[in-house]
Amino acid sequence: MWKNYLKVSIRNLQKRKLYTGINLLGLTIAIVSFLAICLYINHEWSYDKMYADYNRIYRLNQEFRSEGEAQLVSSTPSSLIPTLIDEVPEVETGTLIFDLSIFSTVMVDAGQGNQEEKKFAYADENFFNVFDFNLLSGDPKKALSEPNQIVLTQTTAERYFGNAASATGKSIKIDSKEYEVTGVVEDFPSNSHIDFDFLGSFKTHRHGTSPEWSPSNYYTYVKLKSGSDPQIFEGKLEQIVDKYLGKDLAEYGYETAFFIQPVTQIHLGDQTLGSIKPGADIRYIYIFGIVALLLIAIGIINYVNLATAEATERNKEVGLRKAMGAGRGQLFGQFVSESMLLTLASTLLSILVLYLVSVKFSSLSGVPLDLSLVFSPLGITLLIAFIVLIGVLAGLYPSLILSSMEPIKALANKTKMGGGAWVRKSLVVFQFFVSMGLLISTFVVKSQLDYMKEVNLGYDKEHLVSLSYHYNMRNGIESIKNEMLRSGGASAIARAADMPIHIKAGYRVFPGGDNQREFMITGYSVDKDIIQTIDLELLAGSSFSETDINRQDLEDANQRFPVIINESSAKEMGWTAEEAVGKIINIGFNQNSEIKGVVKDFYFNSLHHQVGPLVIFNDPDQSNVLLVKLPAGDPAAHLASLENVWKEMVPERPFNPVFVDQAYNQMYSSEQKAGWIFGLFSGIAIFIACMGLFGLVSYVALRRTREISIRKVLGATQGNVVSVLAADFLKLLGFSAVMAIGFGIWFSNNWLQDFANQTKPSVWPYLIAIGLVFILAIATIAYRSWKVYSLNPAKTLKSD
Amino acid sequence: MIQLKEIDKFIESRFQRIFILKGINLTINEGEFVTLMGPSGAGKSTLLNILGLLDEDYSGEYWFGDKNITKMRDRERSSLHKSEFGYIFQAYHLIDELTVYENIETPLLYRNVSSNERKSIIADLLDRFNMVAKKDLFPAQLSGGQQQLVGIARAIAGKPRILLADEPTGNLHSGQAKEIMEVFQELHKEGTTIVQATHARENADYGTRLIQMLDGKIDQDEVITHV
């Protein structure tokens, strides 16, 4: 029986090439997208589950509270983990990681000269007890137990020593300090949040031998004893805070609390906490999941639509089989086996296509697709279940329609597919609703991205280059600045803590001087030239001058210290820009800060946030970067002359210029990724839907060939014919458009909510998306009806 | 074997009932070869469909042996349909995607006949109709007469007791028609009950009974005597 089903199915599919082609292509594209997204989501879900006791590993996070304001961070003091191991019985072991890359890069020299490296961290001796990564060489217990030891990843070891085996025991210089390579660890998996090239022993660091309760710069992880209740453990953290931190905190008016976070939830958890590796927004995971299901739905709908439309052609066969005694189940079996066969073919094809596109997809999405999962026992089981499910889903409705036809009517070709028409129509409406909805979302995302690119940030990020330098270069940096200015490669240069795109340092304004308010303020450590270099607009007062004192030259906290604030700060203190100039405020480390100037608000953080109070002060020693304004003309030439100066003056460090506007765009990479994925998949959805429409119009046109021929004989133009065929479908698209607009409004309200600074809502995304889909749909219909129109009526009418 | 009592079939239109069959009383005995004749629209095909259980939308009683079909459950009716009836159509109605062999095989598949038995049944049939060489051809590659032979082979493959044929020679020229009718005669001699509808008077001569229909009623019912 099944052999027969199979044979008939194959012949049927072979005979109807257009139909098979459309279904195969539609399903294949849908399945490729579906599988790709599934693998992507699976990768994101699988984070940090490779450690033996992953469900007992927690990261400790910290909450700072003062006067109702709370700040959550993932960094903790260095004393925390030794204390916990000593005093809390639930703790089996725990480790500390100090990620240096947040602060600076390191210079690595293994005998071939200095190379700049970013992914360096210190970890304590328990690191491999908590995270049981496989060491290719070295003893996990001893590899990080003494000062000046270092563990390299396999790739890093190969990069510096040719092969992993020979690295152990060699020495390597990090920032001129000598380390012994005590182990080589397998590269950290892409789905681990731990991601370093170098792990130095924490004992090398000052706090490694004498831990302290301040500063909070370190990630702390604990592994609890099996069977112990994490809630109880978390409760005990409060006692630790009281015992060791209570007094100090009360003095400063702070409160702090530690709380735990399962290691598996770091990647998709609260992103504001910060982590070694940037995580992912779980909402995007959900959205992509929904998109995957929608795409599969569109693919199935195509099949259902075409198969039911086609049923009108097959009712003779069905009637006949019934007359010969076929039961409903047997007919059902035949149609379902046909759809399963098609699904199977599409799935196989999809896997092939997936192989071809996976590299591209991985590089665009930033997530490697592990295709071997497809062929794991679980993958194959799921795939088979998937084929059966899709096969049955896609075959169910058409076979129900077909097998319920009365044989006599079917044989006489009298069956009107009236019953199925509304189902088919609603399916078309759904398909185009999804296509339009996705496209509208794409345009909403794109308009916000464009807005962010083009919005006036309040400073000039064009032709602005950032050169990071090392703390120990601070003495020579003024002469480098001067040389660069003299070379003509720069029109202005300032030292600054960071690029103006994200200024992070948090300070506090206390009551005192002329101000009565206490509030949080962001501090920007710079040198005197910042205002001209990034072109900030002064509203009142003046810029820093040569004679203004630097922070490190202050003799005591009461010495007068000139600062510049932004408009928001002035507003926070209840002053206009003009009033603020000359006022004295207390910014913690200096109680006698005199406001020298007020600049117009500029965006010093991502546009997710509102512009808050900012204070700019003269503190070049806290600076990490040179901001260089390039003169007009060819940037490459200017960069070349800057590089010459750099090479001459700091030959041991590489010259790595970063364009500020590019770094700015980089900040929105997750939004860009979302925009890109929306764009791609809405394109795919539209393509599949249009193919389905093409198939459907083909059948309608075929059924109405006679009518169209008569119309032609009576003098209908091609336009008339198109409009006859298009009218019905355009009505359906109209419905889809209404629903899609509703969805788009909901989506843009929700998605844009995340941005404190939003693009103005506009009708354009809706108009363009819907217009585009309509044009494509009409083109599809027009092409199909042109083919019918071009038939010779004499022939088509004779056969009737 | 078959008894129809007061069979009515009508279409309800807006203003009136249009009767297709009205007050049909008919008894067909095992082994008869009945020919239904009459002008188009007389109700021949409708009657044939009712006889063949393809049409259930009528009033009156239909007795098959001692069973009242009108009161049967679907499952019973369907199994009766499978075991007792074979159909032959004017337009052959072969399945275009299947070869000659597979077309004949189809009803056997629906009757769950085992593979070996299927092979032998089909081999016999192909042999009987001299179509062994054509078994792998598709319907489109055959002449009309040959297609109808396949249709007959398919109809009798399940060894039905009753063969129903609606204008079996309607699409054939006279030579082919004669050949088909001879096959019918032979089947009849082997004991199969046959009911055919036709326009051609000469076809009736192969049978044993001729029923003339007019406007949904039985007009004449006569026995054909073979000289």
Side-chain angles (χ1 to χ4, degrees):
Chain A
M1 200 79 211
W2 284 102
K3 224 169 83 186
N4 182 267
Y5 286 163
L6 197 69
K7 195 154 56 184
V8 174
S9 299
I10 291 175
R11 293 213 189 119
N12 259 319
L13 294 175
Q14 272 175 347
K15 189 178 159 199
R16 282 177 278 267
K17 292 206 172 61
L18 175 72
Y19 163 85
T20 310
I22 288 177
N23 274 324
L24 200 63
L25 197 60
L27 269 179
T28 304
I29 295 173
I31 294 174
V32 168
S33 321
F34 180 78
L35 288 179
I37 297 178
C38 282
L39 288 174
Y40 172 83
I41 291 176
N42 177 65
H43 182 269
E44 298 294 290
W45 274 121
S46 68
Y47 257 79
D48 296 304
K49 294 195 174 129
M50 69 288 290
Y51 322 122
D53 302 307
Y54 68 85
N55 49 9
R56 292 196 271 134
I57 303 176
Y58 298 85
R59 184 174 71 182
L60 288 164
N61 300 318
Q62 192 168 199
E63 181 181 359
F64 291 112
R65 237 172 298 137
S66 88
E67 289 163 26
E69 277 184 74
Q71 201 193 354
L72 301 178
V73 293
S74 58
S75 48
T76 48
S78 50
S79 278
L80 184 59
I81 196 63
T83 311
L84 290 178
I85 291 176
D86 283 350
E87 299 187 15
V88 183
E90 279 85 359
V91 176
E92 182 178 309
T93 182
T95 187
L96 168 152
I97 298 173
F98 179 32
D99 180 5
L100 210 59
S101 69
I102 351 177
F103 298 96
S104 67
T105 56
V106 293
M107 301 307 299
V108 177
D109 182 5
Q112 304 101 331
N114 265 341
Q115 299 200 41
E116 189 172 24
E117 293 281 357
K118 216 172 157 42
K119 294 181 183 177
F120 179 92
Y122 294 108
D124 72 12
E125 65 275 20
N126 286 325
F127 178 82
F128 291 108
N129 292 338
V130 177
F131 303 107
D132 56 345
F133 293 111
N134 191 21
L135 279 178
L136 297 172
S137 64
D139 180 350
K141 289 198 174 59
K142 293 181 189 152
L144 294 169
S145 61
E146 300 298 326
N148 302 320
Q149 291 179 325
I150 194 163
V151 172
L152 308 179
T153 62
Q154 188 177 357
T155 312
T156 314
E158 281 162 6
R159 202 144 46 87
Y160 280 95
F161 298 103
N163 65 67
S166 67
T168 317
K170 295 259 170 60
S171 91
I172 188 167
K173 271 189 196 152
I174 312 279
D175 283 341
S176 313
K177 192 183 269 181
E178 193 130 336
Y179 286 81
E180 184 197 351
V181 178
T182 46
V184 175
V185 66
E186 270 180 7
D187 285 346
F188 297 115
S190 63
N191 54 352
S192 165
H193 84 285
I194 293 177
D195 179 27
F196 297 109
D197 293 335
F198 304 87
L199 278 180
S201 58
F202 189 52
K203 289 243 167 73
T204 321
H205 189 269
R206 183 163 52 89
H207 287 147
T209 42
S210 51
E212 287 175 29
W213 287 99
S214 175
S216 283
N217 277 341
Y218 312 98
Y219 295 113
T220 300
Y221 299 84
V222 292
K223 188 202 270 190
L224 299 183
K225 286 185 182 140
S226 62
S228 59
D229 185 347
Q231 299 298 322
I232 293 175
F233 168 71
E234 197 169 30
K236 291 187 178 167
L237 293 171
E238 215 172 306
Q239 300 158 19
I240 299 282
V241 173
D242 287 345
K243 187 169 168 191
Y244 293 99
L245 285 155
K247 246 195 279 164
D248 289 355
L249 290 172
E251 204 171 298
Y252 291 108
Y254 271 103
E255 268 181 77
T256 192
F258 296 110
F259 61 99
I260 58 173
Q261 181 182 30
V263 69
T264 50
Q265 284 172 21
I266 292 175
H267 183 67
L268 294 175
D270 183 355
Q271 294 308 307
T272 55
L273 285 171
S275 174
I276 292 169
K277 196 167 160 181
D281 188 334
I282 196 157
R283 286 172 309 164
Y284 283 127
I285 305 283
Y286 289 138
I287 290 176
F288 295 156
I290 292 169
V291 168
L293 290 178
L294 287 178
L295 284 172
I296 272 289
I298 290 183
I300 294 176
I301 286 172
N302 253 5
Y303 182 85
V304 172
N305 260 344
L306 286 177
T308 35
E310 219 227 4
T312 38
E313 288 209 336
R314 289 183 76 169
N315 52 13
K316 187 193 128 190
E317 178 197 334
V318 174
L320 204 55
R321 286 180 182 275
K322 281 200 149 180
M324 286 187 292
R328 231 183 139 131
Q330 286 162 322
L331 285 173
F332 182 76
Q334 188 194 327
F335 288 108
V336 168
S337 63
E338 195 174 306
S339 70
M340 274 206 266
L341 190 71
L342 201 67
T343 317
L344 176 71
S346 306
T347 308
L348 294 178
L349 203 61
S350 306
I351 293 172
L352 195 75
V353 174
L354 204 54
Y355 261 98
L356 298 176
V357 302
S358 66
V359 176
K360 188 79 187 151
F361 185 89
S362 297
S363 74
L364 283 169
S365 68
V367 168
L369 295 186
D370 185 0
L371 290 173
S372 65
L373 279 178
V374 174
F375 297 106
S376 65
L378 181 69
I380 288 176
T381 319
L382 285 178
L383 222 50
I384 290 171
F386 176 78
I387 291 168
V388 172
L389 183 74
I390 303 291
V392 170
L393 268 183
L396 191 65
Y397 183 70
S399 52
L400 279 181
I401 290 282
L402 284 170
S403 61
S404 66
M405 283 190 304
E406 285 182 56
I408 294 300
K409 287 183 182 160
L411 280 174
N413 246 325
K414 275 181 194 147
T415 328
K416 287 278 175 286
M417 299 303 294
W422 73 268
V423 175
R424 216 155 60 229
K425 280 180 184 166
S426 19
L427 291 178
V428 170
V429 169
F430 176 76
Q431 272 190 317
F432 279 93
F433 158 63
V434 171
S435 310
M436 290 178 190
L438 282 175
L439 198 60
I440 290 173
S441 312
T442 309
F443 284 127
V444 168
V445 172
K446 189 170 163 12
S447 66
Q448 174 69 13
L449 287 174
D450 287 348
Y451 166 79
M452 294 191 292
K453 263 181 213 161
E454 277 142 34
V455 69
N456 183 6
L457 293 172
Y459 60 88
D460 190 5
K461 66 178 167 18
E462 306 302 318
H463 303 293
L464 189 62
V465 169
S466 159
L467 292 167
S468 55
Y469 64 89
H470 196 262
Y471 183 72
N472 58 23
M473 285 164 64
R474 66 188 183 281
N475 294 327
I477 203 73
E478 277 305 315
S479 44
I480 295 176
K481 248 179 94 169
N482 292 333
E483 275 305 312
M484 282 180 168
L485 284 169
R486 196 174 319 152
S487 76
S491 59
I493 302 181
R495 294 161 73 179
D498 210 335
M499 287 185 255
I501 57 173
H502 43 72
I503 301 172
K504 283 176 287 193
Y507 291 83
R508 182 167 289 264
V509 173
F510 295 97
D514 297 318
N515 173 47
Q516 297 314 313
R517 304 274 264 287
E518 177 175 342
F519 58 93
M520 294 292 293
I521 194 163
T522 307
Y524 196 22
S525 307
V526 293
D527 76 4
K528 301 175 188 72
D529 300 321
I530 190 71
I531 308 285
Q532 309 82 286
T533 307
I534 64 171
D535 204 9
L536 294 175
E537 188 183 335
L538 267 176
L539 292 175
S542 58
S543 176
F544 295 117
S545 66
E546 285 302 319
T547 52
D548 285 340
I549 192 165
N550 285 346
R551 181 179 171 183
Q552 68 271 16
D553 297 333
L554 289 173
E555 277 149 22
D556 63 74
N558 286 317
Q559 195 174 356
R560 196 161 277 217
F561 183 48
V563 297
I564 293 177
I565 60 168
N566 71 350
E567 234 179 324
S568 292
S569 301
K571 217 174 282 163
E572 186 71 39
M573 293 180 271
W575 300 322
T576 65
E578 286 75 20
E579 286 166 359
V581 177
K583 293 276 196 318
I584 302 295
I585 55 171
N586 176 356
I587 55 173
F589 66 83
N590 180 281
Q591 292 156 21
N592 220 354
S593 303
E594 180 186 2
I595 297 169
K596 190 167 189 207
V598 178
V599 291
K600 204 170 174 219
D601 275 349
F602 65 96
Y603 291 102
F604 56 83
N605 209 327
S606 112
L607 295 184
H608 289 291
H609 306 282
Q610 289 288 14
V611 177
L614 176 79
V615 58
I616 304 171
F617 48 80
N618 213 338
D619 185 9
D621 273 9
Q622 285 291 316
S623 300
N624 303 304
V625 296
L626 281 182
L627 294 175
V628 182
K629 181 77 181 175
L630 302 181
D634 181 15
H638 297 312
L639 281 180
S641 45
L642 293 179
E643 187 170 7
N644 284 339
V645 176
W646 185 277
K647 282 269 155 68
E648 203 168 300
M649 304 194 61
V650 263
E652 74 280 7
R653 294 190 73 92
F655 177 76
N656 278 336
V658 175
F659 278 92
V660 172
D661 53 351
Q662 283 171 9
Y664 173 80
N665 291 340
Q666 197 73 49
M667 275 205 300
Y668 303 106
S669 65
S670 83
E671 282 83 7
Q672 271 160 353
K673 213 188 280 176
W676 170 79
I677 289 185
F678 270 126
L680 176 73
F681 290 121
S682 60
I684 288 175
I686 293 167
F687 181 68
I688 302 176
C690 277
M691 260 187 351
L693 188 64
F694 179 80
L696 218 47
V697 173
S698 302
Y699 280 103
V700 171
L702 213 63
R703 253 209 338 239
R704 294 171 75 169
T705 303
R706 180 164 165 273
E707 178 202 331
I708 291 169
S709 299
I710 294 173
R711 283 177 190 272
K712 195 175 167 185
V713 171
L714 295 178
T717 63
Q718 190 181 344
N720 299 141
V721 172
V722 173
S723 63
V724 165
L725 283 170
D728 282 349
F729 286 106
L730 292 187
K731 247 181 273 167
L732 299 182
L733 259 63
F735 273 120
S736 309
V738 171
M739 289 162 64
I741 289 171
F743 171 80
I745 291 171
W746 174 83
F747 173 81
S748 65
N749 283 342
N750 271 282
W751 189 74
L752 291 177
Q753 222 168 38
D754 255 15
F755 295 89
N757 307 284
Q758 302 172 358
T759 169
K760 281 199 202 77
S762 134
V763 292
W764 286 110
Y766 301 89
L767 284 183
I768 297 172
I770 292 169
L772 200 65
V773 174
F774 264 87
I775 289 169
L776 283 172
I778 291 173
T780 310
I781 297 170
Y783 171 73
R784 193 50 219 167
S785 31
W786 169 76
K787 285 187 91 176
V788 177
Y789 182 78
S790 59
L791 293 174
N792 180 355
K795 278 188 184 157
T796 50
L797 288 177
K798 202 161 69 183
S799 73
D800 217 57
Chain B
M1 182 183 203
I2 288 176
Q3 206 179 359
L4 299 182
K5 292 179 182 169
E6 290 297 326
I7 297 287
D8 283 352
K9 181 172 173 70
F10 50 81
I11 304 171
E12 205 78 64
S13 86
R14 200 178 307 177
F15 306 108
Q16 62 189 39
R17 281 182 175 180
I18 299 166
F19 280 91
I20 303 168
L21 292 177
K22 189 163 173 56
I24 300 284
N25 287 298
L26 178 64
T27 305
I28 295 169
N29 295 315
E30 183 134 28
E32 275 192 297
F33 184 168
V34 182
T35 305
L36 300 175
M37 282 193 71
S40 297
K44 303 187 296 292
S45 296
T46 311
L47 184 55
L48 215 53
N49 289 334
I50 289 174
L51 282 173
L53 309 182
L54 294 175
D55 189 348
E56 286 151 14
D57 183 22
Y58 57 86
S59 62
E61 285 180 17
Y62 179 170
W63 289 80
F64 189 88
D66 55 355
K67 290 176 203 140
N68 187 345
I69 290 193
T70 30
K71 290 196 173 144
M72 262 185 192
R73 271 169 308 174
D74 279 350
R75 187 175 286 274
E76 270 180 275
R77 195 158 38 215
S78 150
S79 78
L80 186 73
H81 172 214
K82 265 191 218 177
S83 63
E84 306 289 356
F85 294 91
Y87 301 85
I88 294 158
F89 305 93
Q90 173 177 5
Y92 331 128
H93 284 331
L94 301 178
I95 298 177
D96 297 336
E97 287 79 28
L98 301 184
T99 63
V100 167
Y101 185 97
E102 289 155 359
N103 261 294
I104 300 173
E105 191 184 25
T106 312
L108 298 174
L109 288 170
Y110 291 137
R111 286 167 178 74
N112 294 324
V113 178
S114 76
S115 163
N116 281 334
E117 215 176 320
R118 285 206 304 269
K119 272 183 202 151
S120 76
I121 292 173
I122 299 164
D124 286 350
L125 286 168
L126 289 170
D127 194 37
R128 172 168 188 174
F129 296 121
N130 289 322
M131 304 201 62
V132 178
K134 298 192 171 65
K135 74 178 171 63
D136 291 326
L137 297 184
F138 286 94
Q141 295 165 297
L142 301 176
S143 73
Q146 287 166 333
Q147 288 191 45
Q148 193 58 296
L149 280 178
V150 177
I152 295 171
R154 186 178 63 179
I156 63 174
K159 302 208 168 57
R161 283 160 70 200
I162 303 170
L163 202 55
L164 301 167
D166 192 358
E167 302 265 9
T169 62
N171 287 9
L172 301 176
H173 61 70
S174 59
Q176 291 170 328
K178 191 162 171 284
E179 197 183 343
I180 298 294
M181 279 300 122
E182 280 162 3
V183 172
F184 273 31
Q185 203 168 30
E186 211 174 309
L187 289 170
H188 173 232
K189 274 182 194 149
E190 288 164 14
T192 311
T193 309
I194 298 174
V195 183
Q196 67 166 343
T198 183
H199 281 294
R201 179 62 183 80
E202 62 270 23
N203 287 351
D205 290 336
Y206 292 92
T208 60
R209 183 177 173 190
L210 175 63
I211 295 174
Q212 296 275 2
M213 294 190 70
L214 190 64
D215 297 340
K217 292 181 190 135
I218 294 177
D219 195 35
Q220 270 180 30
D221 190 346
E222 55 182 299
V223 175
I224 306 262
T225 42
H226 292 272
V227 191

